[in-house]
Every structure is written in structure tokens, then in C-alpha cells.
């Protein structure tokens, strides 16, 4: 059974096919309906994601304010985030790739899975979708929206900036690493053993990270989610901590992209072997 293993400076034949790297700038994309359809899909998916999840957060806070045992609790909030990612990635993966997160888009861009133009447009669509999703929550729950924090991410009391930043870096690394692993074409090879439905592990990764980091930062790991909530909520605290929810996820995504592409998939070793062969 063929496996991707090194033999001297050569590699045995593979029983899977890696897609070619995406061009840095692909002007042909701008003339295709599929490109704009994917942008719309990212916008709508992020809108729905923020609408459901922020409503869940506000609903829990309003119920627990009068009854400490009321509401869905942290476990329910984590399920809302993870479950919605599962549903939305499943629905949009065939159209846009189901990113729904600028950090995921950034990681895939670094790995040359998407072009720069597509990455920028996805991030813009995701941020606009997040703003609109939070705007709907405010419109439907105006009485509770500002009273219970608008679902905005902030660094919780008792935690340092370094702790919050580290939580966002590690949490996003877990998510983006899972995205790379779940969508790796090698999983379709005969030596994979375990076929995988990509949205399922991605949704579980979001769920598990929320369980761990809600007490620290409220869990960002998605700059669009944090940005949209901050824009609609508009309070100083949400903006004071906003940089944590951009810098942390982007660093985590970059580390995950490097780890998967150059360590697990041996990109650096293969490149060096090819250089030696040509020399």
C-alpha cells in the first residue's frame, strides 16, 4: 500500500492528490459567479452564527440573573457555538469552504489554499455578517442586549493580558489545526483508515475550546465574532480588549498552518530534498 514516505531524496508514489497551491493574486476569480456566491455564503453563514450564539449568551445571562441554576450554562453556550459551526460548515463547505472565521481564512491563505483576493473578501464578508448578526440580536432583544453585555468578548477579571492572549493563541491553534487535519486530502487515501466528516471535528474543536476559555476571555478564536459584537455593543471595555481577539487568533492560525504544512506534511523536508536533487 503506497504511503507518502521518504526514500533517500525521492518519495514513493502517493495514493492521493494534493491540490495545486492557489495563486497569490488570481484576477480570473473576479469574473466568476462562484467567487461572489462564496462571498455571499460567508456573509450569511457568519450572520447566522452570530445571531444564534449571541442570543444564546444573552439568554443565559438573563435567566441566570434571577436563578443561578437557570439557563443553559457554560456547557450550553459551548454547544451553541460548536453546534452552529458544525451546521454552517456542513452547509457552506461546498460553496465557500465554510471558513466563517477570519483566522481560518488567514491560516488557509498562509498555506496557499486560497488567494489573497479571496482571503481579503472573505474576511470583509465575515466581519460584515457578524455586525449584521449582532444587529439582529440587538433589534430583537433590545431590553436585554446592553444589560447583559451584548455578547461582547472582554478579558475577564482576575486574568492578565498575557493569559488572555495565550488563551486565544492556543484556542485558535486547536481550531485551525483541526481544520487542516479534517480537510487534508491524504484522509481520502487508502491508508487513512478513518473516513471523516470534516464539519464534525471542526465543530467539536470549537466546543472544546469554548469550555476551556469562556472563563478567561469569553472565547474569541474568531475575530469577526469579537469585532461584530464590539461594533454593535459599542462600550469602551469591548474595544480596549479588541486587539487580543485579532492578534491572538492570527498568531494561532499562523502557527497551525506552519505546523501542519511544514512539520506534519513535511513541506520543509520535501523542499530541501528537491533542492538537493536539483543540485
Amino acid at each position: 500500500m503506497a504511503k507518502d514516505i521518504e526514500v533517500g531524496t525521492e518519495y514513493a508514489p502517493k495514493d492521493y492528490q494534493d491540490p495545486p497551491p492557489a495563486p497569490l493574486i488570481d484576477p480570473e476569480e473576479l469574473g466568476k459567479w462562484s467567487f461572489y456566491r462564496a462571498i455571499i455564503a460567508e456573509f450569511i453563514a457568519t450572520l447566522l452564527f452570530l445571531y444564534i450564539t449571541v442570543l444564546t449568551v444573552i439568554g443565559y445571562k438573563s435567566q441566570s440573573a434571577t436563578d443561578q441554576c437557570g439557563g443553559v450554562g457554560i456547557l450550553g453556550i459551548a454547544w451553541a457555538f460548536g453546534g452552529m459551526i458544525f451546521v454552517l460548515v456542513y452547509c457552506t463547505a461546498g460553496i465557500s469552504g465554510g471558513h466563517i472565521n477570519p483566522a481560518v481564512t488567514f491560516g488557509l491563505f498562509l498555506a496557499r489554499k486560497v488567494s489573497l483576493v479571496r482571503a481579503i473578501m472573505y474576511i470583509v464578508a465575515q466581519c460584515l455578517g457578524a455586525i449584521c448578526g449582532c444587529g439582529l440580536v440587538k433589534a430583537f432583544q433590545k431590553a436585554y442586549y446592553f444589560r447583559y453585555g451584548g455578547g461582547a468578548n472582554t478579558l475577564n477579571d482576575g486574568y492578565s493580558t498575557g493569559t488572555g492572549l495565550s488563551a486565544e493563541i492556543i484556542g485558535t491553534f486547536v481550531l485551525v489545526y483541526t481544520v487542516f487535519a479534517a480537510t487534508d486530502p491524504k484522509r481520502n487515501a487508502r491508508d487513512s483508515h478513518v473516513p471523516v466528516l470534516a464539519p464534525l471535528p471542526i465543530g467539536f474543536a470549537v466546543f472544546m475550546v469554548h469550555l476551556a476559555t469562556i472563563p478567561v476571555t469569553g472565547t474569541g478564536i474568531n475575530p469577526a465574532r469579537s469585532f461584530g459584537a464590539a461594533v454593535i455593543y459599542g462600550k469602551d471595555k469591548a474595544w480596549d480588549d479588541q486587539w487580543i481577539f485579532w492578534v491572538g487568533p492570527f498568531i494561532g492560525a499562523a502557527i497551525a498552518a506552519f505546523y501542519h504544512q511544514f512539520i506534519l506534511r513535511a513541506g520543509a523536508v520535501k523542499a530541501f530534498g528537491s533542492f538537493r536533487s536539483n543540485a
Side-chain angles (χ1 to χ4, degrees):
M1 185 177 293
K3 294 185 179 181
D4 184 18
I5 56 175
E6 184 177 7
V7 182
T9 57
E10 301 295 331
Y11 290 85
K14 299 184 294 187
D15 56 358
Y16 63 93
Q17 184 65 42
D18 283 311
L24 181 62
I25 298 176
D26 186 4
E28 293 184 2
E29 284 186 316
L30 300 176
K32 297 179 180 178
W33 163 241
S34 60
F35 175 67
Y36 299 100
R37 181 182 63 184
I39 293 171
I40 294 170
E42 286 293 309
F43 170 82
I44 296 297
T46 314
L47 183 154
L48 295 174
F49 177 61
L50 267 293
Y51 173 72
I52 295 297
T53 54
V54 172
L55 265 182
T56 303
V57 171
I58 293 175
Y60 161 66
K61 289 185 176 181
S62 65
Q63 290 172 316
S64 61
T66 55
D67 178 7
Q68 291 186 351
C69 296
V72 297
I74 290 179
L75 182 63
I77 292 172
W79 272 120
F81 278 87
M84 277 305 291
I85 286 297
F86 169 75
V87 169
L88 294 171
V89 171
Y90 181 83
C91 291
T92 61
I95 300 171
S96 66
H99 297 193
I100 321 171
N101 185 334
V104 171
T105 300
F106 180 67
L108 293 174
F109 165 69
L110 293 180
R112 299 290 301 279
K113 305 294 185 182
V114 295
S115 69
L116 177 62
V117 173
R118 184 176 291 261
I120 292 173
M121 294 303 295
Y122 273 21
I123 291 173
V124 171
Q126 291 155 2
C127 289
L128 291 177
I131 292 171
C132 292
C134 291
L136 287 177
V137 175
K138 179 182 176 182
F140 295 152
Q141 294 281 353
K142 196 168 185 178
Y144 296 107
Y145 187 81
F146 289 105
R147 187 185 309 172
Y148 297 110
N153 286 125
T154 59
L155 184 63
N156 292 326
D157 295 337
Y159 294 97
S160 68
T161 300
T163 300
L165 184 62
S166 298
E168 290 297 306
I169 292 172
I170 297 171
T172 311
F173 173 86
V174 171
L175 170 59
V176 178
Y177 171 43
T178 304
V179 170
F180 275 108
T183 58
D184 192 332
K186 191 174 182 180
R187 285 194 173 273
N188 295 322
R190 293 192 303 271
D191 62 350
S192 293
H193 301 300
V194 183
V196 62
L197 177 64
L200 185 59
I202 295 171
F204 263 105
V206 172
F207 167 69
M208 297 303 295
V209 171
H210 274 76
L211 284 182
T213 60
I214 283 176
V216 183
T217 61
T219 309
I221 69 171
N222 183 334
R225 176 260 186 274
S226 302
F227 179 72
V231 168
I232 300 301
Y233 185 54
K235 302 296 183 181
D236 289 343
K237 178 62 174 173
W239 287 113
D240 290 343
D241 297 335
Q242 185 66 199
W243 69 273
I244 294 174
F245 302 104
W246 284 87
V247 175
F250 274 46
I251 292 175
I255 296 172
F258 176 83
Y259 176 62
H260 184 268
Q261 294 296 102
F262 291 97
I263 305 300
L264 298 186
R265 293 302 301 273
V269 174
K270 293 175 183 177
F272 181 68
S274 175
F275 172 79
R276 291 178 59 190
S277 297
N278 292 334

